[in-house]
């Protein structure tokens, strides 16, 4: 499973990238707002740092507007994936932009039918939001399983990019279900390294080591 990092925070991306944990980046209008940066400027910096796909989201609500914005965002770098919402207009924009050979990430997906339409419209990535489904007491991971089955049934090449990930457990579940990509905030990726028994075991080793009076260096 590829790891995308869901942030426009350059320092956080750099730290994870140095460890080989970043296969791509996703941003959205909320994350750009949070960064306090100009969208083109910060996106260009991210693209220069990370060679994998970097999603930049359009904000127009009509297809022509999304297409124009998508073409403009694609000028930033070769590795831009244009993000459009899963609306009818978004599907129209996806069809045109993907037909031009551009990567398109169709976002705000909450149903298997939406994912089926995105695949038929030529999406490179479909972004189902698991956390926001969990928020309304619908198991987000059930949707990932459904999309996986449908895409496999018909050999769709659209990659399932699990989004709105809120916990390390979401990462594990996405990987178990065969998601192609998971995008997560930096703190969630770092939390995957934590285990209470690791901490406890390390404490015990350190206590015993102190009793030996030895040093290694
Ligand atoms: O990738 C989508 C993500 O940014 C949304 O996450 O936690 O706001 O639902 P969240």
């Amino acid at each position: 499973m590829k790891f995308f990092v869901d942030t426009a925070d350059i320092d956080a991306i750099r730290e994870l990238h140095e460890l080989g944990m970043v296969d791509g980046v996703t941003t959205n209008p909320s994350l750009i707002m949070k960064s306090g940066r100009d969208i083109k400027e910060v996106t260009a910096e991210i693209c220069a740092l990370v060679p994998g796909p970097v999603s930049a989201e359009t904000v127009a609500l009509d297809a022509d507007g999304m297409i124009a914005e998508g073409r403009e965002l694609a000028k930033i770098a070769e590795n831009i994936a244009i993000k459009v919402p899963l609306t009818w207009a978004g599907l129209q924009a996806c069809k045109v932009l993907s037909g031009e050979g551009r990567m398109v990430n169709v976002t705000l997906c909450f149903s298997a039918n939406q994912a089926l339409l995105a695949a038929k419209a030529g999406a490179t990535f479909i972004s189902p939001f698991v956390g926001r489904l969990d928020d309304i007491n619908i198991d987000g991971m059930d949707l990932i399983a459904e999309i996986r089955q449908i895409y496999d049934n018909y050999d769709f090449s659209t990659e399932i990019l699990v989004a709105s990930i809120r916990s390390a457990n979401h990462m594990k579940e996405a990987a178990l279900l065969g998601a192609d990509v998971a995008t997560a905030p930096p703190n969630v990726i770092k939390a995957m390294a934590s285990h209470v028994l690791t901490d406890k075991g390390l404490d015990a080793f350190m206590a015993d080591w102190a009793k030996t009076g030895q040093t290694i260096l």
Side-chain angles (χ1 to χ4, degrees):
M1 185 172 73
K2 285 175 272 192
F3 282 16
F4 286 5
V5 60
D6 197 29
T7 185
D9 179 335
I10 284 278
D11 291 335
I13 296 168
R14 186 177 291 110
E15 183 190 358
L16 289 167
H17 182 54
E18 281 168 1
L19 204 55
M21 298 293 172
V22 180
D23 301 303
V25 175
T26 49
T27 65
N28 61 37
S30 303
L31 293 170
I32 296 295
M33 184 268 294
K34 206 170 153 191
S35 77
R37 304 275 312 274
D38 172 81
I39 183 172
K40 290 184 185 171
E41 195 182 282
V42 73
T43 306
E45 267 183 53
I46 297 170
C47 289
L49 180 64
V50 175
V54 174
S55 290
E57 189 159 343
T58 58
V59 291
L61 295 178
D62 64 299
D64 286 345
M66 288 180 209
I67 293 163
E69 288 177 356
R71 288 175 181 153
E72 183 67 20
L73 291 169
K75 288 181 193 162
I76 295 173
E78 286 285 310
N79 53 332
I80 287 286
I82 302 159
K83 219 169 168 186
V84 297
L86 213 158
T87 57
W88 199 251
L91 293 169
Q92 291 170 324
C94 174
K95 181 71 181 161
V96 171
L97 292 167
S98 62
E100 293 173 352
R102 307 178 196 277
M103 288 189 284
V104 181
N105 177 356
V106 181
T107 190
L108 288 167
C109 170
F110 293 95
S111 78
N113 275 336
Q114 288 181 316
L116 181 52
L117 291 174
K120 290 187 78 71
T124 315
F125 302 103
I126 182 69
S127 289
F129 276 32
V130 294
R132 293 191 193 184
L133 282 169
D134 290 351
D135 287 345
I136 58 164
N137 297 317
I138 294 172
D139 190 336
M141 286 298 162
D142 286 349
L143 174 59
I144 303 306
E146 286 179 356
I147 300 173
R148 180 74 284 158
Q149 186 178 334
I150 291 168
Y151 281 10
D152 288 351
N153 283 350
Y154 300 103
D155 277 335
F156 283 119
S157 58
T158 302
E159 295 192 33
I160 302 174
L161 194 172
V162 183
S164 186
I165 281 187
R166 307 272 177 77
S167 67
N169 206 39
H170 273 154
M171 294 294 280
K172 179 188 79 173
E173 289 174 3
L176 283 170
L177 289 169
D180 301 286
V181 191
T183 189
N187 64 313
V188 170
I189 295 175
K190 288 173 107 173
M192 293 169 73
S194 297
H195 198 287
V196 64
L197 292 179
T198 304
D199 297 342
K200 201 175 160 194
L202 194 55
D203 285 348
F205 286 156
M206 291 306 101
D208 289 342
W209 182 248
K211 288 176 201 158
T212 71
Q214 298 180 44
T215 57
I216 293 177
L217 294 177

